[in-house]
Amino acid sequence: MQLLTSAKITEFLPEEYKSLKIHLFDEVDSTNVVAKKLIKTDALPFVVIADHQTAGKGRLGRSFFSPPATGIYMSIALGDFPSLPDALFLTPATAVAVTDAILSLTGIKTGIKWVNDIYLNNKKICGILAESQSVDNNFSVIIGIGLNMTTCRFPTELREIAGSLNSNIPREQIIAEIIKNLLNILKTPDDKSFMKKYKNRSILLGKEIYYFRDNIRNSATAIDIDDSGGLIVRTPANEIITLSGGEITIRIKN
Ligand code: BTN
């Protein structure tokens, strides 16, 4: 795969976002970690992209496999653009921005597994990790996106569950499309219409699932996603409860 260049990413961005600062690295530990450091010195918003991560981070302390040249590993750092984004909606907004970018550039329909994973052919191809940071009372958010483009040699423990987009669209074009889609959504913070797409693309609704909280496995049926992004489930005792992101993980029952 071709080397990434920031000039090419900017070329694909629409006029209004061409001035966005893009920090491009061959190798970093984690683009989220680098973004958190840069927030102390750099003006927001900016983007950090790496060709390779040696310690890519996932949710709940997990790692994100990030080999060289075969994926997109990027973090978008935001302050008040145009107002500080509503943390509750950042992950759903990003999931819609990524699935829209894939759809418009490749025609491939991907699914969203609440709350932060993107799936293709029953395999996870993308994860999102939104984090926040406060420096001298200035609050900012870092939205990390890891998308497997052509990764095929996964470690044994990921082989059954991880996949790739397998598209020959240049990584720069997909990166630019994701940035554009996300900033466009965040430009109108009161407009939550993207939640309709988030819900329509959900691969959980109607399915029997396990949800894990504090290492305890619970059975339920996923029935809806509410306007705040919560997953509404029916328990075996016929109770309706709403799960919110945080420390919860979901597995679809086979
Ligand atoms: C997950 O699957 O739980 C989230 C994975 C998020 C991975 C991306 S890759 C770019 C950014 N930098 C990181 O260290 N993590 C995110």
Side-chain angles (χ1 to χ4, degrees):
M1 199 170 257
Q2 296 249 302
L3 283 178
L4 284 166
T5 73
S6 53
K8 205 162 156 201
I9 296 169
T10 305
E11 220 173 88
F12 285 117
L13 283 172
E15 210 50 50
E16 63 178 312
Y17 301 136
K18 278 197 193 297
S19 60
L20 186 68
K21 175 82 186 150
I22 294 171
H23 299 272
L24 187 61
F25 298 90
D26 283 341
E27 182 184 293
V28 295
D29 47 1
S30 149
T31 55
N32 271 29
V33 170
V34 172
K36 281 186 193 170
K37 287 181 191 149
L38 287 173
I39 279 173
K40 295 177 184 145
T41 52
D42 276 44
L44 292 159
F46 62 78
V47 183
V48 179
I49 300 169
D51 188 59
H52 173 208
Q53 294 185 120
T54 54
K57 297 200 305 171
R59 268 179 85 227
L60 308 175
R62 299 196 187 112
S63 59
F64 187 81
F65 182 59
S66 317
T70 64
I72 289 173
Y73 318 117
M74 64 191 278
S75 300
I76 305 176
L78 298 169
D80 48 1
F81 172 86
S83 55
L84 191 70
D86 185 338
L88 209 57
F89 291 103
L90 270 180
T91 302
T94 308
V96 170
V98 173
T99 48
D100 264 351
I102 294 172
L103 184 63
S104 64
L105 295 176
T106 68
I108 297 171
K109 288 185 181 160
T110 49
I112 300 170
K113 180 172 165 242
W114 185 91
V115 56
N116 68 321
D117 292 337
I118 293 170
Y119 271 66
L120 178 63
N121 301 328
N122 295 321
K123 297 210 160 156
K124 172 170 166 173
I125 62 162
C126 175
I128 296 161
L129 176 66
E131 300 185 276
S132 57
Q133 172 162 289
S134 171
V135 179
D136 300 333
N137 281 331
N138 292 317
F139 200 74
S140 48
V141 291
I142 299 106
I143 307 158
I145 300 162
L147 172 61
N148 304 327
M149 289 290 293
T150 54
T151 311
C152 51
R153 289 201 191 97
F154 288 100
T156 324
E157 68 276 13
L158 295 180
R159 242 163 246 168
E160 296 296 314
I161 50 177
S164 283
L165 183 60
N166 283 323
S167 153
N168 53 12
I169 300 280
R171 283 181 292 172
E172 287 94 339
Q173 195 170 359
I174 300 209
I175 290 168
E177 193 72 10
I178 293 172
I179 294 172
K180 180 196 80 179
N181 290 348
L182 183 61
L183 296 186
N184 280 349
I185 291 176
L186 300 178
K187 213 160 52 172
T188 50
D190 293 331
D191 179 3
K192 298 291 186 299
S193 56
F194 66 88
M195 282 307 289
K196 199 167 166 214
K197 284 184 180 172
Y198 183 74
K199 196 165 137 170
N200 286 342
R201 291 173 188 169
S202 169
I203 60 167
L204 292 187
L205 299 185
K207 300 247 171 74
E208 300 295 313
I209 60 161
Y210 293 118
Y211 69 93
F212 297 77
R213 194 165 24 200
D214 302 328
N215 279 328
I216 296 170
R217 190 178 83 169
N218 307 276
S219 288
T221 309
I223 53 176
D224 205 355
I225 291 172
D226 70 18
D227 292 343
S228 319
L231 180 68
I232 304 176
V233 301
R234 183 184 299 113
T235 70
N238 239 353
E239 270 177 325
I240 305 292
I241 57 171
T242 303
L243 308 176
S244 53
E247 302 293 299
I248 293 174
T249 51
I250 302 280
R251 194 177 320 142
I252 300 177
K253 284 192 196 174
N254 292 322

